[in-house]
Amino acid sequence: MTLEFVHQSSAQRVRFGAGRVVENIADEIAERGATRVMLIASTEEAGLAAPIIARISPVLVWDEVVQHVPIEVAVRARAAAVDAGIDLLISLGGGSATGLAKAIAMETRLPIVAVPTTYAGSEATNVWGLTEAARKTTGIDDAVLPSAVIYDAELTLTLPLGLSVASALNGIAHCVDSLWAPRANPINAALAGEGLRAIAAGAQAIVKDPVGLPGREEAQYGAYLAGVAFASAGSGMHHKICHVLGGTFSMPHAETHAVVLPYVTAFNVDSAPDAERRIADALGADDAVSGLQSLYAGLSAPTNLADLGLRETDIAEAVSIALPSIPPSNPRTVDAASLTSLLHAAWSGAPVTTVRG
Ligand code: NAD
């Protein structure tokens, strides 16, 4: 077999350490000589933010954080950053807080230090997302890639168990989708395989011991690899579907990814034998679909889109918006009929079966 590909790495510093967040943020600020920090942290993360605020005295604390980054929120936050003469953005929270920092950086070119509290992985990507008039748009801009990421597993101890599981599966979705995304290559596939293994192991440990740190640390490590793999490979079929469900139907991000992933995997793997083997190996299973099924069963993962608020009558609109965005590089050809049937199955939580042929 010959190997021929182009791989792009992103420049980013990662500081990892449980209980180290305040020191690590202070070090980042000192190294950059930043004097006017904007801390983005929603009211739900106020408890996590308090010791950081006490140490670094940001000139602005922004707590309006909304999932999928509505454009109105981005516009308000950008104006506030400019008015306050900010020289460094620090985001503390899940993908929504990171996403708002990215929306500000898109316009202002301010650097970001991201402090993730979920396993969404946005901190490792140069991908931004904005929602306007019920349409979520995503794009790539190196200015939104956080220049530093600070992981502290203690920050994730407050993440409720159900959300911890869903967020970990969101990380796994980054790994799986990057195996057939438009810029998939052996380097991001290697990162995806190890990311998948680590997040699966981490999630299982979190379910066994939700207040233990080792599972949370392993999930964070895997979430970072997942984000790097996803940023490098691009958005595949799974992400294109979930963007529509999130942006147009306001579906909760992590849970939606968790539900859709086994159906997309079952749709693609028969046409993607290398990806199938990589997923199965990472999960220690005979095949990708049964590996995901037993992982999901052990985690009590969410199983259908109906419970998350999608109406059956929304499926036709979701298909019409998502279909044109699915990359032509997807291993199996997708048409309206197959996407409709996939979304119906995910909507009702029908048994996941590998599509053959
Ligand atoms: P989120 O950031 O919306 O957080 C979900 C909920 O959990 C919120 O209510 C939040 O306040 C709460 N929360 C977060 N951390 C907590 C903690 N440690 N303890 C207690 N509560 C906590 O959800 P998410 O799934 O992390 O991120 C979703 C958003 O991120 C979406 O908008 C998605 O599009 C975006 N995203 C972007 C990328 C990218 O590369 N651009 C990647 C992944 C996700």
Side-chain angles (χ1 to χ4, degrees):
M1 191 181 83
T2 56
L3 282 181
E4 189 175 332
F5 59 86
V6 175
H7 178 82
Q8 179 76 43
S9 297
S10 300
Q12 191 172 59
R13 174 163 49 217
V14 177
R15 295 179 188 256
F16 211 100
R20 297 270 320 146
V21 67
V22 173
E23 289 312 313
N24 279 336
I25 288 179
D27 285 352
E28 278 296 331
I29 292 172
E31 269 188 37
R32 293 153 192 271
T35 56
R36 301 190 65 78
V37 171
M38 175 174 183
L39 177 70
I40 298 165
S42 81
T43 46
E44 287 180 64
E45 274 71 72
L48 301 177
I52 297 167
I53 293 170
R55 172 68 180 269
I56 67 170
S57 304
V59 297
L60 181 59
V61 178
W62 186 270
D63 65 9
E64 187 187 20
V65 175
V66 183
Q67 206 164 73
H68 307 305
V69 197
I71 186 75
E72 318 79 70
V73 177
V75 167
R76 279 195 286 277
R78 286 167 180 163
V82 171
D83 287 351
I86 295 302
D87 60 9
L88 177 65
L89 303 168
I90 300 181
S91 61
L92 171 74
S96 299
T98 316
L100 182 59
K102 288 177 167 185
I104 300 170
M106 268 171 86
E107 294 276 318
T108 61
R109 315 319 265 178
L110 285 166
I112 302 172
V113 172
V115 186
T117 62
T118 68
Y119 311 112
S122 175
E123 64 278 4
T125 84
N126 59 355
V127 181
W128 54 264
L130 283 170
T131 302
E132 185 167 14
R135 288 286 187 279
K136 184 166 177 177
T137 310
T138 60
I140 290 176
D141 181 345
D142 285 342
V144 310
L145 177 79
S147 51
V149 184
I150 295 173
Y151 287 104
D152 180 338
E154 288 184 2
L155 297 174
T156 66
L157 290 172
T158 48
L159 194 61
L161 186 56
L163 197 47
S164 299
V165 164
S167 189
L169 293 172
N170 180 198
I172 287 182
H174 288 137
C175 299
V176 170
D177 213 28
S178 66
L179 296 173
W180 43 60
R183 299 186 302 276
N185 69 43
I187 295 176
N188 46 48
L191 294 168
E194 169 62 0
L196 207 171
R197 184 210 59 74
I199 302 173
Q204 287 164 321
I206 291 168
V207 167
K208 270 202 198 111
D209 179 14
V211 294
L213 280 177
R216 305 253 172 206
E217 287 184 319
E218 187 140 33
Q220 277 190 322
Y221 156 68
Y224 181 71
L225 296 183
V228 173
F230 167 60
S232 167
S235 286
M237 173 179 177
H238 171 84
H239 276 81
K240 294 301 184 186
I241 295 171
C242 291
H243 284 165
V244 172
L245 296 174
T248 302
F249 303 101
S250 300
M251 306 278 296
H253 179 83
E255 295 86 341
T256 299
H257 276 260
V259 170
V260 171
L261 179 66
Y263 294 97
V264 172
T265 306
F267 183 77
N268 272 344
V269 280
D270 197 46
S271 306
D274 289 349
E276 153 100 89
R277 198 180 56 252
R278 180 86 64 176
I279 299 164
D281 287 354
L283 292 172
D286 290 339
D287 64 88
V289 170
S290 69
L292 283 178
Q293 279 170 326
S294 58
L295 176 70
Y296 273 55
L299 300 178
S300 305
T303 55
N304 69 78
L305 297 176
D307 283 352
L308 300 180
L310 190 73
R311 295 170 307 177
E312 195 171 10
T313 49
D314 294 331
I315 292 176
E317 188 184 357
V319 168
S320 71
I321 304 169
L323 188 59
S325 68
I326 293 177
S329 60
N330 193 64
R332 179 184 290 278
T333 306
V334 190
D335 58 16
S338 53
L339 187 53
T340 302
S341 128
L342 186 157
L343 279 176
H344 263 288
W347 177 80
S348 65
V352 179
T353 44
T354 304
V355 178
R356 301 281 175 206

